[in-house]
Amino acid sequence: MPWKISFDLLKDKVQLPCIVHWDNNHFIVLYKMDKQFAYVADPAKGLEKYSHSHFQKNWINDSNRNGAVLIIQPQAGFLQKAPAENRSKSKMFQNFVGYLSPYKGSFANLILIMLVITVLQGAFAILLRWQFQRVSH
């Protein structure tokens, strides 16, 4: 939900991470705040650390000393995804196969063509050897 709130309310009450309107021209993610610094992820600069005064100067954009913030909270049915380290290799392989399964007909054709080409190469090598043996005798 979008809000215009004071810095104190942002610092004390808002659940992080949240999205803030920055410098009146783009949005950044505020992901951590301690007693001295605000930690943000800025698409233009990457991960940054700003003092509270610098953060307020670039975030607050009206005469009431409020800044724009977009607060995002997960719904009750939201399920968190397991970190990549906890995923099993078999599950990763199943996902990979799932991406390829719509193309199984194409893969079958590819394997058949590769098999035919391999047989033709072998036959050509045998015929060439037979021809050289015939010429040399």
Side-chain angles (χ1 to χ4, degrees), residues 51-69:
S51 68
H52 285 193
S53 61
H54 183 264
F55 181 85
Q56 289 179 61
K57 185 179 110 190
N58 288 284
W59 175 61
I60 293 175
N61 57 9
D62 69 9
S63 60
N64 296 332
R65 307 282 303 147
N66 290 330
V69 62

Side-chain angles (χ1 to χ4, degrees), residues 8 11 21 56 87 91 106 120 122-123:
D8 291 330
K11 183 174 63 168
H21 192 231
Q56 289 179 61
R87 293 186 196 149
K91 182 69 175 169
S106 298
L120 288 175

Side-chain angles (χ1 to χ4, degrees), residues 33-83:
M33 190 173 288
D34 60 23
K35 292 181 181 187
Q36 291 184 321
F37 298 103
Y39 299 85
V40 301
D42 186 336
K45 297 180 182 177
L47 298 178
E48 295 283 326
K49 177 173 80 167
Y50 298 120
S51 68
H52 285 193
S53 61
H54 183 264
F55 181 85
Q56 289 179 61
K57 185 179 110 190
N58 288 284
W59 175 61
I60 293 175
N61 57 9
D62 69 9
S63 60
N64 296 332
R65 307 282 303 147
N66 290 330
V69 62
L70 180 63
I71 302 169
I72 301 171
Q73 294 177 329
Q75 298 289 328
F78 179 77
L79 299 176
Q80 288 195 350
K81 213 175 189 182

Side-chain angles (χ1 to χ4, degrees), residues 3-137:
W3 296 92
K4 280 224 165 197
I5 60 173
S6 69
F7 179 74
D8 291 330
L9 193 58
L10 176 69
K11 183 174 63 168
D12 298 331
K13 301 290 184 188
V14 173
Q15 181 181 355
L16 299 179
C18 65
I19 299 170
V20 296
H21 192 231
W22 188 251
D23 208 17
N24 282 329
N25 67 5
H26 73 284
F27 295 90
I28 62 174
V29 176
L30 174 64
Y31 65 90
K32 180 181 172 187
M33 190 173 288
D34 60 23
K35 292 181 181 187
Q36 291 184 321
F37 298 103
Y39 299 85
V40 301
D42 186 336
K45 297 180 182 177
L47 298 178
E48 295 283 326
K49 177 173 80 167
Y50 298 120
S51 68
H52 285 193
S53 61
H54 183 264
F55 181 85
Q56 289 179 61
K57 185 179 110 190
N58 288 284
W59 175 61
I60 293 175
N61 57 9
D62 69 9
S63 60
N64 296 332
R65 307 282 303 147
N66 290 330
V69 62
L70 180 63
I71 302 169
I72 301 171
Q73 294 177 329
Q75 298 289 328
F78 179 77
L79 299 176
Q80 288 195 350
K81 213 175 189 182
E85 300 87 43
N86 295 342
R87 293 186 196 149
S88 67
K89 289 183 181 182
S90 64
K91 182 69 175 169
M92 289 176 21
F93 181 73
Q94 288 173 347
N95 287 341
F96 178 70
V97 170
Y99 285 120
L100 298 179
S101 64
Y103 307 104
K104 57 185 162 190
S106 298
F107 281 115
N109 288 338
L110 180 66
I111 291 171
L112 180 65
I113 290 169
M114 288 170 53
L115 183 64
V116 168
I117 290 173
T118 302
V119 168
L120 288 175
Q121 283 179 330
F124 182 70
I126 290 171
L127 287 172
L128 197 60
R129 181 175 159 205
W130 177 73
Q131 183 66 26
F132 280 135
Q133 286 177 350
R134 218 176 92 195
V135 170
S136 65
H137 285 293

